[in-house]
Amino acid sequence: MKFTTVVLSAAAIAASVSSRPLLKRDVNSALIPQFGVTAGTNPDGTGNCDGINGANGKPILIPCQCPPPRDQFIQLLNQNVNAGFVINNPSVGISFPEDNSKASQLARLTAATVTLQNIHGPGQGCPQAATTFGAQAQAIEAGQDPASVANAPAPAPAPAPAKPAAPSTPAPAQGGVDPSLVPDFGVVAGTSPDGHGNCKGINNIDIPCACPPPRDTFIASLNANVAAGHAVHNPTVQLSFPTGNSKGDQQARINALLVTLQNINGPGQGCPAVSTVYGQLQQKINALPN
């Protein structure tokens, strides 16, 4: 009888121990890659700031809120690593090994990248171009020290923007944007997925696979913004959508498109300009004679 009591007590102890949740631990912060980009660099007044340089040597436009505050980023990274997947996009699994092998270094950069791109929800975060994570991964693949490319070159001060010509034709008072004046995105969402939430945008730049958004969703958001006279999700950013063909009208429209795109899910929470051809169109319009 005593023997039975001892056995039952041991079993009860084992059950009690096994029922306790496993302890979670934070990742080693020294192993978290640096962003290499400072949020809010060279703002253009429409929600765009400078990220890393693109293939043309010019900065890629990113939302000015990107990259996010580092403490916020690390907190979410810890949550994702402890869960074994991206909490805001559970289909994306991650790990954060702490040894110095090539595979482990790349796994850590992948964990950092998918956390960045899904920080506000599935596909709703900051683009990889808001960091030097891509360059650091290339350095690791080449057997080089990622610290050598961790910091992006200091950008040149942004030139004073040229004063746009006054729009000649006002937009309809209640939105009602003419869809024929909304250019195609020029990029298909979900192109060449890499399994980590990255797909390809303009010039093969990595963008969230959810970008660009569905066209009907985009036009509905654009109509709401135009009717309000500002970005509904970021009210400090004013916009208009005149219907004429002057340089000023075209500048105002492309600005409205970019602002809507970059704030479609919240302030600074949208898709980067490189998920469309709108940035390239803006450059062409700005080069037109006044």
Side-chain angles (χ1 to χ4, degrees), residues 47-229:
N48 295 318
C49 284
D50 287 353
I52 61 170
N53 287 342
N56 61 359
K58 297 180 179 179
I60 296 168
L61 297 180
I62 61 173
C64 286
Q65 291 88 342
C66 293
R70 190 160 176 85
D71 56 351
Q72 176 188 352
F73 173 77
I74 291 176
Q75 181 181 21
L76 185 56
L77 176 64
N78 280 320
Q79 294 173 2
N80 290 345
V81 171
N82 280 319
F85 56 83
V86 179
I87 291 174
N88 289 331
N89 198 348
S91 64
V92 181
I94 64 171
S95 64
F96 200 90
E98 297 192 347
D99 64 89
N100 202 40
S101 69
K102 180 178 179 178
S104 293
Q105 292 182 70
L106 290 172
R108 291 196 294 266
L109 273 167
T110 295
T113 299
V114 296
T115 295
L116 178 81
Q117 293 176 327
N118 297 277
I119 202 163
H120 301 296
Q124 300 174 26
C126 291
Q128 190 182 55
T131 69
T132 58
F133 291 172
Q136 292 180 56
Q138 290 176 352
I140 292 169
E141 290 280 13
Q144 300 170 355
D145 182 0
S148 64
V149 294
N151 293 316
K163 185 177 180 180
S168 60
T169 310
Q174 297 300 320
V177 166
D178 181 353
S180 69
L181 294 176
V182 180
D184 289 335
F185 293 135
V187 172
V188 177
T191 299
S192 301
D194 66 1
H196 302 298
N198 295 317
C199 286
K200 296 301 183 184
I202 295 299
N203 296 326
N204 283 324
I205 296 169
D206 285 342
I207 61 173
C209 286
C211 292
R215 184 171 169 86
D216 56 350
T217 301
F218 177 76
I219 290 180
S221 182
L222 176 64
N223 272 314
N225 291 345
V226 171

